[in-house]
Each structure stands twice: as C-alpha cells, then as structure tokens.
Amino acid sequence: MKICLIGDGITNQILAIFLAKRKIKVDLYSSFSKYDNKKTRTIGLTNNNKKFLEKNITNFGKLLWPINSIKIFNQSSQDKEVINFNKSKEAKFYMFKNNNLKNVIKTKLSKNKYFSLKKIKSNSFYSKIIKMNYDIIINSDYNNIISSKFFNKKIDKDYKSTAYTTIITHKSVHNHEASQVFTNIGPLAFLPISNTKTSIVYSIKNSSNIRNENEVTKLIRKYNLKYSILNLEKIEKFSVRSSFLKNYYHLNILAFGDLLHRVHPFAGQGFNMTIRDIKSFIKLIDDRVSLGLAIDKSLLHNFEKKNKSINLIFGTGLDLVNQFF
C-alpha cells in the first residue's frame, strides 16, 4: 500500500502522520505555495479538534494559545459588544502560527520510516506522478496542472474583498479574549496568540477605496480599543473567495484541503473543516482494514458520498452568517 500526497502544507503533513502510523508508505511531494508560507498566517482550532490532534500526534504545548471568550462588535456601537460568548473554564478554541506547528510536525515525520519527502522537479513532473504506481494520490495544492485539469468544476464565490493579515506586538495584557468588529467595509478580527502578540485579519471590500497598506494600518489602530501597539509586522494579503468542488476525486486522485473547499476567513473555520475531513478519511481506512478490505480508489467514492453535502451545508451557513452581519 502506497499513497502520494501533493503539497507540503499542514493538511498533508497531518495526513502523512496518520497514514504512516498505520504503516502505510507515504511519499509527500513538496510544492511551494505562497499562501501556505505567509509568515503572518494564523489558524484557529476548536477544542475538540485540538484534543483529537494531541491524542493522535503530539502535545503541542505552548504552540497553541487558548481563547476563553469571544466578543462581537459592530462599527456603530464599538464600545459595547453585540454578542459576548462568555468566559468558561475550558477554552473555546486555540490559535497558532501555521509555520510553528508545521515545524513540529515536520520533525515528527522525519523520524518515521514509512514517510518520505520528495521535491517537485518541474511543472511537467505532475503528469509523471499520475503514472507512478500509487494506490491513491491526494492533492491538496490548488495551483498545479492536476488541479486545473481534473478539479476545475466548482461552486465558486468571489466576495470582492481582500483579506489583510498581520501580527501586532503590544504591551503585555491578559490576552485570552478574541474580538471581531463588523465595520462598514468588512469584518476585522483580533485573535490573540500570546500575552504580547495578536493576529489581525481584516477582510476589506474592494470597493472601499483603500489605496495602500498604510490605510489598513490606520484602520486597525482606529478600531483597536484594547492594545498598546508597539509594532505591526509586514501586512500580507490575499483575495477572499469561497469554493466547493463538484467532484471530489478523479480515478485514484482525491482532492483535499483548500482545493476541496475554501470558506470566508471571518469565522476561522476552514482548517477545522479540513480536520473533520481527515477524521472521516482515516475512519474509512480503519473500517476497511478491520474488515480485511482493500484500500483503493473505491474509498474515494465513499469519502465524497459521506462528506460532500456536509461541507457544502456548513460552508453555506458560514456565508449566511457573514451576510447577516
């Protein structure tokens, strides 16, 4: 049994650990993704998914920062929250820097004899991968020829917005409360990652006449009511879109991660949807092994049947919430 993973983002790294633990040979092909390597990219993880990953991979310790409460504001009443998800003894979710977690997982993978990291030699090399003797190919990279050729039919929505991300350094505060301000040009999220650092995600409508990143910085400072800001890291940006593939697989190739579904970043649920997919995929493998059945491309049909409608309904719900605010 041999599986190929295309793309060395955190999604495929986690998949590789689960597969290698089951003594399945895994070749992970590294393909550079600008978005996946953004230094200011942070990700939210639900408490259940945090427990799931720690149980099956490793204790992430201080890499994950607990968020105990969430406050929602709108621009007209910024000094008084519209919704307050009260504090609780157990964290509601956790924040982490994408690259930090990737480095921990890379170290763990390097010690597993069933895992091998390979490099994509050129764009033409993708066509060669398809012809190699892999039982299943899992593609999590939406910027390659396999994606454009076999996974181009999708339900796609352009929010006509740009997400600006940065990390602010500020004076130390007790920083376990996230907040989101729904301004008239888009949602602005303050997501703590330590007592002295907070991640910022500001999705701004393209029609807002924002001319440069200095104007984004001014807006962040304007809507900041909590932090004494000492420094802002370089602002990075990406277009805000949502998309859901109509076909999850082609022959023995399975789409996964951001290629499979992308949602608006305001709720921070994209990665949690992917973790749910990982749980589902691994369970299908375990069920087949327990019954003595082969792990082959028929597994991909079962995965699509089980998850396609759930992902679409969940993503549509997030879109409705965004429109409401």
Side-chain angles (χ1 to χ4, degrees):
M1 178 68 188
K2 198 169 186 180
I3 290 181
C4 163
L5 304 177
I6 299 176
D8 66 345
I10 194 168
T11 295
N12 274 0
Q13 289 179 352
I14 292 173
L15 261 176
I17 286 181
F18 277 97
L19 295 170
K21 282 180 66 175
R22 286 157 175 77
K23 298 182 179 181
I24 297 172
K25 291 183 179 180
V26 179
D27 287 344
L28 190 153
Y29 285 87
S30 174
S31 56
F32 181 78
S33 168
K34 289 183 179 179
Y35 181 59
D36 203 61
N37 284 273
K38 284 184 178 295
K39 293 181 180 179
T40 61
R41 187 182 183 190
T42 55
I43 298 176
L45 190 66
T46 65
N47 194 30
N48 283 340
N49 284 338
K50 180 252 188 186
K51 291 177 180 178
F52 169 74
L53 292 179
E54 288 198 324
K55 178 182 177 182
N56 292 280
I57 299 178
T58 187
N59 190 319
F60 299 122
K62 294 182 180 179
L63 286 180
L64 304 184
W65 188 255
I67 304 298
N68 297 327
S69 63
I70 310 164
K71 287 187 176 181
I72 307 295
F73 301 88
N74 61 37
Q75 183 172 303
S76 60
S77 59
Q78 193 187 348
D79 59 339
K80 185 177 181 180
E81 66 270 13
V82 178
I83 301 174
N84 185 350
F85 296 95
N86 293 326
K87 296 180 180 179
S88 61
K89 293 181 179 179
E90 193 171 48
K92 295 187 179 300
F93 66 98
Y94 293 80
M95 293 298 302
F96 63 91
K97 292 184 72 172
N98 182 57
N99 284 338
N100 288 350
L101 192 56
K102 280 180 65 177
N103 291 336
V104 171
I105 295 175
K106 276 184 178 179
T107 300
K108 194 170 184 66
L109 279 171
S110 66
K111 301 174 183 179
N112 194 303
K113 66 179 182 179
Y114 292 96
F115 173 79
S116 177
L117 178 63
K118 300 179 181 295
K119 294 290 183 181
I120 297 291
K121 299 175 182 179
S122 65
N123 287 332
S124 61
F125 191 69
Y126 289 103
S127 299
K128 295 180 182 179
I129 292 176
I130 296 175
K131 298 176 183 179
M132 292 179 184
N133 190 29
Y134 289 111
D135 296 281
I136 294 174
I137 297 171
I138 299 177
N139 180 25
S140 297
D141 178 10
Y142 49 82
N143 288 318
N144 62 49
I145 191 172
I146 296 175
S147 302
S148 59
K149 186 175 182 180
F150 302 121
F151 300 108
N152 53 19
K153 295 180 180 180
K154 61 184 71 174
I155 300 170
D156 189 75
K157 180 173 182 178
D158 184 353
Y159 287 95
K160 302 188 186 313
S161 298
T162 300
Y164 295 87
T165 66
T166 186
I167 293 174
I168 60 173
T169 302
H170 46 77
K171 291 183 179 179
S172 182
V173 294
H174 184 71
N175 205 20
H176 296 279
E177 179 181 270
S179 61
Q180 185 142 268
V181 184
F182 284 89
T183 74
N184 57 8
I185 61 172
L188 167 61
F190 293 85
L191 304 165
I193 56 176
S194 76
N195 282 333
T196 58
K197 290 183 181 292
T198 296
S199 172
I200 306 292
V201 181
Y202 198 174
S203 300
I204 299 178
K205 298 173 185 175
N206 293 338
S207 59
S208 304
N209 297 320
I210 299 297
R211 293 183 294 273
N212 54 56
E213 292 171 8
N214 287 334
E215 294 186 9
V216 177
T217 298
K218 289 179 182 178
L219 288 169
I220 291 172
R221 292 184 181 275
K222 175 183 177 181
Y223 293 113
N224 163 49
L225 297 179
K226 181 176 181 179
Y227 305 108
S228 297
I229 298 175
L230 303 175
N231 180 60
L232 280 89
E233 294 187 17
K234 185 180 183 301
I235 291 179
E236 297 172 332
K237 61 182 181 180
F238 58 92
S239 297
V240 180
R241 309 182 69 93
S242 68
S243 64
F244 298 88
L245 281 183
K246 292 185 177 181
N247 300 311
Y248 275 34
Y249 67 97
H250 172 79
L251 299 177
N252 69 327
I253 308 170
L254 175 68
F256 217 85
D258 287 346
L259 173 59
L260 197 60
H261 45 65
R262 299 171 69 184
V263 295
H264 196 291
F266 87 96
Q269 287 300 311
F271 184 64
N272 289 291
M273 289 177 69
T274 295
I275 294 297
R276 186 175 62 212
D277 288 342
I278 291 173
K279 290 178 181 178
S280 175
F281 185 74
I282 296 301
K283 187 176 188 305
L284 286 171
I285 288 178
D286 289 344
D287 288 347
R288 289 201 167 204
V289 170
S290 67
L291 294 172
L293 300 175
I295 300 172
D296 54 25
K297 61 184 180 182
S298 64
L299 176 75
L300 310 187
H301 172 75
N302 292 340
F303 176 79
E304 178 184 87
K305 184 178 180 181
K306 184 176 180 181
N307 295 281
K308 187 176 180 178
S309 60
I310 295 173
N311 286 334
L312 182 59
I313 292 170
F314 187 79
T316 303
L318 291 177
D319 183 56
L320 290 172
V321 173
N322 178 59
Q323 290 184 49
F324 175 81
F325 282 100

